[in-house]
Every structure is written in C-alpha cells, then in structure tokens.
C-alpha cells in the first residue's frame, strides 16, 4: 500500500523535472511573462472547472480572507513562476532545478523568520552545504564562473523565497480543501500576471506573441498546463495525503535529477564538477528533510491532521507543495 502511495509524488516530481527543459525551449519564441500568463490562464480555467464540479460555486468565495489570498497568490503563484521563467533566460534548466529543490529548506527558514520557530542547527548547516553544491554546478568549480550566478541566480533566490512564504501562508488555511486554496490563489496570481503582461507589452518591455509563435510552442504549453499544472498537482496532493508532507517532500530532491537526465538525453555533457555539485546538493537536501521528520512526526501525533494545499514547483518551476503545518 505504501509503495503504491509513493507512486503519486514520484509521478509529480518527474513531471516537474521534465518541465524545466520544456519551458526553456518555449522561451525562444515567447517572452517569459507572456508564456507564464498564457500557461496559467489555461491552468486556472481547468482548476476553476474542477473546483465547481467538486465543491460548487460557494467554494469560490473568499470567506473574508480576500486580502490574504491575493497577497499569497501574487507573492507565491505569480512571483515564483514569473521569476523562474525569467531566470531560465539567464541560467540552464538543471541549475534552476537545483534552486527549486531547496524549497523545503527555505520554507523552514521562512517559518523561523515569521513565527520564531527556530530550525535545528543541523538544518541550517545542511542548507549551506546544499547552496555550496548549487554554486559548484553554476560556476563549474571556477571562481571565474561566479559571474554566471548573476541575475538568474538572484531571480531564483527571490522565486524560492516567494514560494516559501506562500507555503508557510497555507498553514492558516487548514479549514479549506487543497483544491480550494490552490484555485483561489491561482486566480489571484493569474490576474496579477495578466495585468503585468498587458503593462509590459504596452510599454515595450516585451512583445505580445504572434499567433504563429503560440502555435509553435503549443506542445510545450500543453505539457506545462496539462502535466505540470493539473496531473502533477493532483498526483502530489494524493501522495501528500497518503504519505504525509514530510515523507512526500523527500521526492522533491528527484526534480534536479530528472532535469539533469533530460538535458543529458538532449546532448548536454556535464563536467564532473557539476555532477559532484548536484550530488552534494541532493544529498544535503535529503539529509535536511530527514532531519525535520522526527519533529513532524511529533507534531502529527499531538494534533489532528491538517489539509495540505498544493499548487503547481515549478514551477518550480512549478510550485512544489504547500503543506499546512
């Protein structure tokens, strides 16, 4: 039974890991902001339709929490996805995937900053080790490569931080179903992305895609919407409910592994130092997740289980997972 449950988060992270190279190829034809907006317009329509079918029109009401929903949707949904797509113009997909894999650790740090819940010193140490591994991948072990970190790396730090805030914010929505929280924050984030796209097109920062461009990226867009934003999210929700958030979070470390595999299959040949850096990052993140599991187990034994709201890593990337703890 437990092995069957593990198939769900495995399906989700494999889908998200493939998505980074897919989106990177689409950026050759469509600007990052317009691509993200188009993707989430389609995804949100699907989410709203599923929510109406499962919970009815009443689930679209904010219940007096509109401001909080909008802030979380803009910071997490819009911020994470827009910054990730922008970063893909400055960094390789495998580098972006490593940043996304730090989401569980970043969420713990956000919780420390906002709630005063101090993470274990071991977690902080492992976080630094994970970032060291990311640095090795990006710079290829050379100080001369520090410039490659640049804008793309800074964008991904902002993206993952925004998603950490979003993940932490979900803990205040334990009385909502995951589908409702996901859909309403997606609506807010998509509205923000649409407004930003219209404004950016108007002032010339980007150009509205031509019909031919949209047709050219239809396969990538279809994958990002159907697999990344719908199937993977539903699979992740199921896995979290059956395995628990702490166990499911371990699967996030497979995202960069999947992305590296896809890139290698497409002809990319990583340097040995890149593989070493990726291995260091993944090992540190697995250790960090394992270090937080005993605390999570104690929390579950002293409180009733809370719903888990999940939205579409990354995103990261699709947004990875939003757990109410």
């Amino acid at each position: 039974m437990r092995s069957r449950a593990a198939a769900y988060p495995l399906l989700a992270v494999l889908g998200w890991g493939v998505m980074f190279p897919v989106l990177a190829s689409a950026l050759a034809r469509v600007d990052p902001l317009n691509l993200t907006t188009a993707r989430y317009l389609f995804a949100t329509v699907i989410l709203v339709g599923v929510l109406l079918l499962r919970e009815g029109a009443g689930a679209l009401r904010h219940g007096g929490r509109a401001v909080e929903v909008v802030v979380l949707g803009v910071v997490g949904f819009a911020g994470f996805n827009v910054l990730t797509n922008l970063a893909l113009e400055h960094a390789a997909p495998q580098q972006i995937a490593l940043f996304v894999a730090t989401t569980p650790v970043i969420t713990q740090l956000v919780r420390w900053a906002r709630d005063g819940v101090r993470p274990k010193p071991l977690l902080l140490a492992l976080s630094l080790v994970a970032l060291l591994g990311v640095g090795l991948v990006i710079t290829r072990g050379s100080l001369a490569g520090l410039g490659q970190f640049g804008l793309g790396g800074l964008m991904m730090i902002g993206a993952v931080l925004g998603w950490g805030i979003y993940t932490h914010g979900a803990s205040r929505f334990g009385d909502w179903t995951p589908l409702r929280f996901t859909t309403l924050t997606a609506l807010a984030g998509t509205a923000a992305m649409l407004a930003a796209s219209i404004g950016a097109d108007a002032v010339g920062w980007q150009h509205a895609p031509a019909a031919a461009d949209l047709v050219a990226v239809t396969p990538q867009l279809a994958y990002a919407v159907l697999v990344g934003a719908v199937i993977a999210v539903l699979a992740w929700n199921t896995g979290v409910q059956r395995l628990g958030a702490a166990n499911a979070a371990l699967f996030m470390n497979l995202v960069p592994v999947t992305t590296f595999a896809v890139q290698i299959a497409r002809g990319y040949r990583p340097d040995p130092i890149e593989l070493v850096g990726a291995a260091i990052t993944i090992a540190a993140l697995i250790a960090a997740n394992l270090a937080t599991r005993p605390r999570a187990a104690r929390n579950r034994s002293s409180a009733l289980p809370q719903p888990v709201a999940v939205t579409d890593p990354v995103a990261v990337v699709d947004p990875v997972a939003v757990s109410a703890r």
Side-chain angles (χ1 to χ4, degrees):
M1 180 67 71
R2 201 167 178 81
S3 60
R4 290 183 181 179
Y8 292 101
L10 179 61
L11 173 62
V13 299
L14 290 177
W16 288 328
V18 171
M19 191 167 57
F20 290 107
V22 168
L23 288 177
S25 67
L27 290 173
R29 298 294 297 265
V30 181
D31 293 313
L33 184 52
N34 279 323
L35 180 65
T36 309
T37 301
R39 179 188 175 199
Y40 280 98
L41 281 173
F42 289 117
T44 301
V45 168
I46 295 173
L47 286 170
V48 169
V50 174
L51 181 64
L52 290 174
L53 287 174
R54 291 181 61 88
E55 301 184 31
L60 290 173
R61 299 191 182 97
H62 292 88
R65 309 178 75 174
V67 173
E68 194 171 8
V69 168
V70 169
V71 170
L72 291 175
V74 171
V75 171
F77 232 109
F80 177 86
N81 289 287
V82 169
L83 287 174
T84 299
N85 270 7
L86 287 171
L88 280 168
E89 287 194 320
H90 302 276
Q94 62 270 21
Q95 297 170 357
I96 299 301
L98 283 172
F99 277 102
V100 173
T102 66
T103 299
V105 173
I106 295 297
T107 302
Q108 292 288 330
L109 299 180
V110 170
R111 189 181 180 209
W112 181 19
R114 298 197 62 181
D115 295 341
V117 180
R118 185 185 182 92
K120 295 179 180 179
L122 177 60
L123 178 63
L124 295 178
L126 289 171
S127 302
L128 294 177
V129 173
L131 291 178
L132 173 63
V134 173
L136 287 176
V137 172
I138 293 177
T139 65
R140 298 186 177 183
S142 171
L143 292 178
L146 286 175
Q148 297 180 28
F149 182 86
L151 190 57
L154 293 176
M155 286 179 176
M156 282 311 301
I157 291 175
V160 175
L161 179 60
W163 191 249
I165 294 172
Y166 179 86
T167 301
H168 176 269
S171 63
R172 296 188 293 272
F173 289 81
D175 55 333
W176 285 20
T177 64
L179 178 60
R180 183 184 181 190
F181 179 80
T182 299
T183 302
L184 292 185
T185 51
L187 277 169
T190 301
M193 286 185 275
L194 181 60
S197 286
I198 293 173
D201 289 338
V203 300
W205 289 349
Q206 62 177 17
H207 303 286
D213 293 324
L214 291 176
V215 170
V217 300
T218 294
Q220 296 97 313
L221 198 57
Y223 180 93
V225 171
L226 296 176
V227 177
V230 178
I231 295 175
V233 172
L234 293 176
W236 183 261
N237 266 316
T238 304
V240 169
Q241 290 175 354
R242 297 190 180 188
L243 292 175
N247 287 324
L250 291 172
F251 286 86
M252 284 307 301
N253 300 291
L254 293 176
V255 171
V257 176
T258 304
T259 302
F260 262 90
V262 171
Q263 290 295 86
I264 291 172
R266 297 178 63 195
Y268 177 73
R269 294 295 177 261
D271 292 339
I273 191 64
E274 290 183 81
L275 296 177
V276 171
I280 290 174
T281 297
I282 293 167
L285 292 172
I286 290 175
N289 279 313
L290 289 173
T292 63
R293 286 177 64 187
R295 178 181 298 178
R298 288 195 297 270
N299 288 343
R300 287 198 299 272
S301 65
S302 61
L304 292 175
Q306 297 295 316
V308 176
V310 178
T311 102
D312 159 271
V314 246
V316 81
V317 174
D318 272 64
V320 181
V322 183
S323 59
R325 313 191 234 214

